[in-house]
Amino acid sequence: MNTSSCGNARSDSSSGHTICLARPCVDEPGKYIAESQYPNDFSMDALCTILQNKLQEARISELRCSEKLGVARFELDGKTILLYRIGRIDIRRAADIADASLIIEKVQRIVKDAFTYTACD
């Protein structure tokens, strides 16, 4: 992920993700939009199916998932999560890097079966 435009980026040693607090949330001062990237892309059909099942289990809410557009949006722990086909994750209303890191790990556990893997992974 290109973090050169990000004023507050760091690599989280426990997860290995580079997390960028991109900009403050307009509607909630003190909260940020955090951006990061998983190492693999998503299979959108698998991702949408997994998230639909989690919606029924009430682990997430307000799911919108488009295989065609390559994006999924849902609510988790009071945050809006956006997942993109290319493996990017945006977290709205993150308090800080540590908060974003916890959400990234939680989402990764939820959607682990939707990642695409190559023979080199």
Side-chain angles (χ1 to χ4, degrees):
M1 177 178 171
N2 180 3
T3 59
S4 61
S5 64
C6 178
N8 190 1
R10 78 169 177 108
S11 184
D12 182 61
S13 59
S14 63
S15 69
H17 294 99
T18 298
I19 302 168
C20 176
L21 295 182
R23 55 199 172 276
C25 291
V26 175
D27 57 342
E28 290 188 50
K31 301 284 179 154
Y32 298 90
I33 297 173
E35 301 171 347
S36 192
Q37 180 80 32
Y38 292 112
N40 296 88
D41 295 351
F42 289 109
S43 164
M44 289 306 296
D45 60 336
L47 180 64
C48 291
T49 299
I50 289 167
L51 292 174
Q52 186 62 44
N53 290 337
K54 297 303 176 189
L55 180 66
Q56 293 171 356
E57 295 172 11
R59 294 196 55 199
I60 65 169
S61 62
E62 299 183 37
L63 173 64
R64 297 185 80 185
C65 196
S66 173
E67 292 178 38
K68 184 177 179 179
L69 296 176
V71 65
R73 177 182 173 159
F74 58 94
E75 298 289 321
L76 174 70
D77 295 345
K79 293 160 184 53
T80 301
I81 312 300
L82 289 104
L83 297 176
Y84 300 91
R85 180 187 328 268
I86 61 171
R88 177 180 164 142
I89 179 172
D90 290 351
I91 304 162
R92 294 184 181 167
R93 295 186 303 278
D96 53 27
I97 296 273
D99 184 37
S101 182
L102 290 173
I103 293 296
I104 289 168
E105 291 300 311
K106 190 171 193 174
V107 170
Q108 186 171 345
R109 286 190 303 275
I110 290 171
V111 301
K112 67 182 183 295
D113 292 332
F115 287 109
T116 60
Y117 296 96
T118 63
C120 297
D121 289 340

